[in-house]
């Protein structure tokens, strides 16, 4: 007996050590790849810097399909406290996600103490690097706030005893989540699932439903469906098969097989099959819970997580999946899809069947579930690190473009700062006005004048950091040194060359003679048409030519001079 207790204490300490290490690793990931720069949707907060703002109306302003009242309040506070340091938002997001893990560990603590090692996957699922887009994007802290609200609400309602005070606190947290994004409304059906467990009073269920309906009505009271970006119902119905395939792909994308770089598993068909299996397992868990008396506590908590994830998947249909079944593959949605896998796994671990004999057919689903969890942890970590490096390069380029906002062409302003600048001149005009406000208020990168001066001196480079200079042919030395623009043109050419191994392979003698490389630069820049910019503005990093196009005439002049 003493030996068993010693083993139990050892395994529990190991589990807690893994939890701590996972949190530390997540913070280290943010430290390694986070960049302070205003990017894409972040620009919506620029309004808060204008005279007379923020107002109640501006805090309630609809962003696509989202009412983001509470995130907007936090944004105002953080922007003014930190001079709009985007890393502050990312750190808040990371702390909140660590809090989500803490709440879940607390909700499952009684089960964890019985078999700690079976719960080792939990921190890796919660802190999955598959959600790297939300981790490394300031604006996305709102979704983590929603997730924290949902998990806290469900955990409160899953407690052994729930009275009016507990219900009131859960409802208050639910309101915060609901008015943080459209997905926050999922807290009400998720909370109802827990209240449907046996032993809960009908009075509590009724109060919860009435409160949820009232909050939802308030959300849509001044809502514009035209501004939400959602497809009309007729379009959704006509493309229902595409949307349903998208639902499967979204569920399966928690295991990021298509971007893992492994050819054998990169097919979206595999993603769709995996998504179907995960959703089938989720429905199996829900049916099991209903058939076995709607057990309260941790099992109800698991079912609530599963229901919330499935409903999130369905909410993507009007605005995303009806248009493209592959839209659900984006990393941002994994923040609401990992609870699906975590809920299934946790429910199975809690059940006594996990520790019974492995005879009969019951071993197969457990093996598949374990394989899915292991695959998620491994692939999401590999993909997260690779994409973290790419994201950092993109954001450093964005900082470079922002520092040079007065001269930045749409070819780089659109993908690195704010699409659709490329196809709407008014957006570019608004962007430059907003950048001017940032600089005047010394916000974001403009809070560090030395950094801005360095970025302006080197020009807009892919990767946003100084590159090793190509050897300058003697005949071009005077032309390159003749102006700051010519020097920046050479800096860009050098950065493009040293960042592209295929280019180095194609022009190995560039350091001694650059005519051929300059001819390539002219041709590459010529390929960047207005339509090419529009096609690429949502998909950074962009091709080399997008950085070369603004210096195309300079490169052509050097070629014509015959001194290259």
């Amino acid at each position: 007996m003493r030996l068993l207790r010693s083993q139990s204490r050892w395994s529990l300490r190991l589990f807690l050590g893994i939890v701590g290490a996972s949190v530390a690793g997540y913070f280290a990931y943010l430290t390694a790849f986070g960049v302070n720069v205003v990017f894409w949707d972040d620009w919506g907060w620029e309004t808060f810097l204008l005279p007379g703002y923020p107002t109640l109306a501006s805090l309630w302003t609809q962003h696509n399909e989202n009412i983001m009242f509470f995130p907007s309040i936090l944004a105002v506070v953080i922007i003014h406290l930190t001079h709009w340091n985007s890393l502050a938002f990312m750190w808040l997001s990371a702390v909140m996600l660590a809090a989500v893990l803490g709440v879940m560990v607390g909700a499952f603590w009684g089960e964890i103490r019985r078999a700690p090692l079976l719960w080792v996957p939990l921190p890796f699922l919660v802190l999955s690097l598959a959600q790297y887009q939300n981790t490394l994007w300031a604006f996305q802290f709102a979704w983590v706030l929603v997730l924290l609200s949902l998990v806290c609400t469900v955990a409160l309602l899953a407690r052994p005893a729930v009275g009016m005070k507990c219900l009131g606190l859960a409802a208050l947290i639910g309101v915060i989540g609901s008015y943080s994004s459209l997905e926050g409304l999922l807290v009400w059906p998720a909370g109802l699932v827990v209240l449907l467990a046996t032993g809960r009073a009908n009075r509590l269920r009724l109060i919860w439903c009435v409160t949820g309906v009232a909050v939802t009505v308030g959300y849509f009271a001044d809502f514009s469906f035209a501004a939400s970006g959602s497809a009309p119902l007729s379009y959704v119905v006509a493309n229902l098969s595409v949307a349903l395939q998208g639902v499967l792909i979204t569920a399966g994308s928690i295991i990021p097989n298509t971007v893992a770089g492994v050819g054998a598993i990169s097919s979206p068909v595999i993603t769709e099959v995996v998504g179907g299996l995960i959703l089938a397992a989720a429905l199996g868990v829900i049916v099991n819970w209903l058939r076995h008396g709607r057990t309260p506590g941790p099992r109800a908590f698991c079912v609530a997580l599963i229901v919330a994830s499935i409903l999130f998947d369905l909410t993507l249909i009007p605005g995303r999946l009806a248009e493209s079944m592959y839209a659900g593959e984006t990393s941002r949605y994994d923040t609401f899809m990992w609870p699906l896998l975590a809920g299934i796994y946790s429910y199975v671990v809690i059940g006594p069947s996990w520790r019974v004999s492995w005879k009969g057919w019951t071993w197969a689903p457990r093996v598949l579930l374990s394989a899915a969890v292991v695959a998620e942890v491994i692939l999401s970590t590999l993909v997260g690190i690779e994409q973290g490096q790419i994201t950092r390069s993109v954001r450093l380029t964005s900082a470079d473009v922002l520092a040079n906002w007065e001269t930045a062409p749409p070819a780089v302003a659109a993908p690195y700062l704010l699409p659709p600048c490329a196809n709407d001149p008014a957006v570019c005009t608004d962007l430059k006005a907003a950048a001017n406000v940032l600089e005047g208020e010394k916000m974001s990168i403009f809070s560090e004048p030395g950094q801005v001066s360095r970025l302006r001196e080197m020009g807009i480079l892919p990767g946003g950091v100084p590159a090793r200079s190509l050897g300058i042919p003697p005949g071009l030395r005077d032309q390159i040194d003749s102006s700051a623009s010519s020097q920046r043109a050479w800096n860009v050419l050098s950065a493009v060359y040293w960042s592209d191994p295929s280019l180095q392979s194609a022009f190995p003698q560039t350091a001694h003679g650059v005519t051929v490389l300059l001819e390539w630069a002219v041709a590459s820049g010529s390929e960047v048409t207005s339509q090419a910019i529009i096609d690429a503005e949502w998909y950074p990093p962009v091709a080399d030519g997008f950085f070369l196009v603004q210096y195309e005439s300079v490169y052509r002049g050097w070629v014509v001079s015959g001194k290259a």
Side-chain angles (χ1 to χ4, degrees):
M1 181 65 70
R2 185 177 299 172
L3 178 60
L4 291 175
R5 289 176 181 171
S6 176
Q7 290 175 341
S8 178
R9 286 195 296 269
W10 171 84
S11 58
L12 187 59
R13 291 193 188 109
L14 177 60
F15 170 77
L16 293 175
I18 291 172
V19 169
S22 300
V23 172
Y26 194 81
F27 288 168
Y29 179 83
L30 174 55
T31 302
F33 300 122
V35 176
N36 172 30
V37 65
V38 180
F39 180 77
W40 283 20
D41 290 350
D42 300 354
W43 287 101
W45 293 330
E46 180 266 338
T47 304
F48 301 147
L49 299 178
L50 300 178
Y53 285 84
T55 63
L56 188 62
S58 67
L59 294 172
W60 190 265
T61 298
Q62 182 179 333
H63 178 82
N64 295 331
E65 68 270 30
N66 302 305
I67 301 296
M68 306 180 68
F69 182 72
F70 289 103
S72 293
I73 292 175
L74 287 173
V76 171
V77 174
I78 294 172
I79 284 171
H80 286 89
L81 285 180
T82 68
H83 295 281
W84 201 332
N85 190 320
S86 297
L87 292 173
F89 290 94
M90 298 177 204
W91 277 106
L92 174 60
S93 178
V95 169
M96 289 193 296
L97 197 59
V100 169
L101 175 58
V103 172
M104 292 185 67
V105 169
F108 292 130
W109 184 245
E111 301 296 334
I112 291 172
R113 292 183 62 184
R114 293 190 182 94
L117 297 186
L118 289 178
W119 291 89
V120 166
L122 182 63
F124 295 102
L125 292 175
V126 176
L127 303 174
S128 171
L129 296 186
Q131 57 192 335
Y132 64 88
Q133 284 185 335
N134 293 338
T135 304
L136 301 174
W137 190 351
F139 188 81
Q140 294 302 112
F141 90 98
W143 268 8
V144 183
L145 175 60
V146 168
L147 182 67
L148 179 59
S149 300
L150 189 150
V151 170
C152 286
T153 299
V154 173
L156 280 170
L157 298 178
R159 296 175 65 186
V162 178
M164 288 302 299
K165 288 184 179 179
C166 184
L167 187 77
L169 179 57
L172 178 60
I173 297 174
V175 169
I176 294 174
S178 296
Y179 295 143
S180 294
S181 269
L182 175 67
E183 292 73 23
L185 295 175
L186 300 179
V187 70
W188 305 104
L192 179 60
V193 166
V194 181
L195 291 175
L196 286 175
T198 54
R200 300 297 191 232
N202 287 330
R203 177 171 58 96
L204 298 178
R205 297 166 182 164
L206 178 61
I207 293 173
W208 184 258
C209 290
V210 170
T211 305
V213 170
V215 171
T216 303
V217 169
Y219 186 97
F220 289 104
D222 191 35
F223 190 84
S224 171
F225 286 94
S228 69
S230 298
L233 180 60
S234 58
Y235 183 89
V236 173
V237 172
N239 292 273
L240 193 57
S241 62
V242 172
L244 293 179
Q245 284 183 277
V247 167
L248 299 179
I249 289 175
T250 303
S253 292
I254 186 57
I255 303 174
N257 62 296
T258 58
V259 290
V262 181
I265 61 172
S266 62
S267 170
V269 175
I270 295 178
T271 312
E272 190 173 345
V273 171
V274 170
L277 292 174
I278 291 175
L279 289 174
L283 294 176
V285 167
I286 294 172
V287 170
N288 181 275
W289 182 68
L290 293 173
R291 289 184 60 188
H292 289 81
R294 306 193 309 274
T295 309
R299 288 184 177 85
F301 185 90
C302 293
V303 175
L305 292 179
I306 291 169
V307 168
S309 287
I310 293 175
L311 291 177
F312 170 81
D313 202 347
L314 296 177
T315 63
L316 294 178
I317 290 177
R320 305 291 187 275
L321 303 183
E323 295 185 2
S324 171
M325 71 177 72
Y326 304 114
E329 289 183 313
T330 183
S331 163
R332 296 193 302 277
Y333 304 143
D334 289 332
T335 295
F336 287 98
M337 295 315 300
W338 67 251
L340 178 63
L341 188 56
I344 297 169
Y345 180 82
S346 300
Y347 189 93
V348 173
V349 168
I350 292 170
S353 61
W354 189 272
R355 294 182 288 275
V356 299
S357 172
W358 283 63
K359 294 180 180 179
W361 66 270
T362 59
W363 66 271
R366 283 179 280 172
V367 168
L368 288 174
L369 179 59
S370 300
V373 170
V374 171
E376 197 286 331
V377 172
I378 293 175
L379 291 182
S380 66
T381 301
L382 294 176
V383 169
I385 292 174
E386 179 186 14
Q387 293 298 322
Q389 295 170 336
I390 294 173
T391 301
R392 178 172 176 79
S393 177
V394 167
R395 298 296 199 276
L396 288 172
T397 307
S398 298
D400 192 3
V401 177
L402 181 55
N404 293 277
W405 65 268
E406 292 183 285
T407 58
V412 290
Y416 289 101
L417 291 182
L418 183 62
C421 171
N423 55 303
D424 188 348
V427 173
C428 278
T429 300
D430 292 342
L431 174 62
K432 290 182 181 294
N436 186 42
V437 171
L438 281 188
E439 184 168 12
E441 297 291 333
K442 297 189 181 339
M443 295 286 183
S444 190
I445 64 169
F446 298 108
S447 64
E448 301 181 38
Q451 177 192 9
V452 174
S453 296
R454 290 191 298 273
L455 292 174
R456 285 176 173 171
E457 183 178 350
M458 74 178 184
I460 299 173
L461 308 178
V465 294
R468 177 160 56 105
S469 179
L470 286 167
I472 301 176
L476 284 183
R477 172 68 65 179
D478 290 342
Q479 295 185 55
I480 291 174
D481 291 342
S482 64
S483 68
S485 177
S486 295
Q487 292 170 6
R488 286 194 291 270
W490 190 260
N491 289 340
V492 172
L493 185 66
S494 298
V496 166
Y497 182 80
W498 293 118
S499 66
D500 190 341
S502 64
L503 204 58
Q504 298 166 38
S505 176
F507 307 110
Q509 302 301 317
T510 294
H512 304 288
V514 296
T515 300
V516 179
L517 179 61
L518 288 172
E519 290 174 344
W520 169 85
V522 171
S524 182
S526 300
E527 295 174 356
V528 182
T529 63
S530 298
Q531 187 58 49
I533 298 172
I534 292 172
D535 292 341
E537 64 182 341
W538 294 96
Y539 305 103
V542 295
D544 294 336
F546 286 72
F547 297 92
L548 300 169
V549 64
Q550 58 185 318
Y551 302 110
E552 181 186 342
S553 61
V554 177
Y555 300 140
R556 183 178 285 106
W558 290 344
V559 172
V560 172
S561 72
K563 298 179 180 180

